[in-house]
Amino acid sequence: MNLLDRVVIDPKICHGKPTLRGLRYPVETILELLSSGMTSEEILADYEDLERDDILAALAYAVRLTQVKRIESALA
């Protein structure tokens, strides 16, 4: 299974934000937890229905979003 297959975008779930396996855990939330310093093990302990591959899928999704050729400032 491709990790990105775990990321689901459904307008009926979390207002269409990308979630993990449709479980109402937005990718954004997992990335925020990681960036705050939580380890994958801590996240998995706090959210028992998540799997290690869900966290890896959130990271893979973030990588995909940053793979652009050029970024321009919206303020320019």
Side-chain angles (χ1 to χ4, degrees), residues 17 21 24 26 31-32 40 51-52 56 58-59 70 74:
K17 287 186 174 190
R21 293 185 290 131
R24 299 189 182 278
L31 296 173
E32 287 173 348
S40 296
E51 301 170 357
R52 183 175 186 279
L56 295 176
L59 290 169
R70 181 175 163 180

Side-chain angles (χ1 to χ4, degrees), residues 27-51:
V27 169
E28 171 186 11
T29 299
I30 303 306
L31 296 173
E32 287 173 348
L33 294 173
L34 290 168
S35 70
S36 74
M38 285 185 77
T39 65
S40 296
E41 293 77 20
E42 291 170 328
I43 294 169
L44 293 173
D46 286 351
Y47 303 94
E48 295 178 1
D49 46 347
L50 287 179
E51 301 170 357

Side-chain angles (χ1 to χ4, degrees), residues 1-74:
M1 174 185 225
N2 180 346
L3 285 175
L4 291 176
D5 292 339
R6 290 177 171 262
V7 178
V8 175
I9 299 173
D10 182 338
K12 297 178 208 153
I13 301 173
C14 294
H15 306 285
K17 287 186 174 190
T19 61
L20 295 167
R21 293 185 290 131
L23 293 175
R24 299 189 182 278
Y25 292 116
V27 169
E28 171 186 11
T29 299
I30 303 306
L31 296 173
E32 287 173 348
L33 294 173
L34 290 168
S35 70
S36 74
M38 285 185 77
T39 65
S40 296
E41 293 77 20
E42 291 170 328
I43 294 169
L44 293 173
D46 286 351
Y47 303 94
E48 295 178 1
D49 46 347
L50 287 179
E51 301 170 357
R52 183 175 186 279
D53 279 350
D54 294 325
I55 295 172
L56 295 176
L59 290 169
Y61 188 79
V63 167
R64 182 61 60 92
L65 289 178
T66 63
Q67 291 175 332
V68 296
K69 301 230 184 253
R70 181 175 163 180
I71 298 175
E72 293 188 30
S73 173

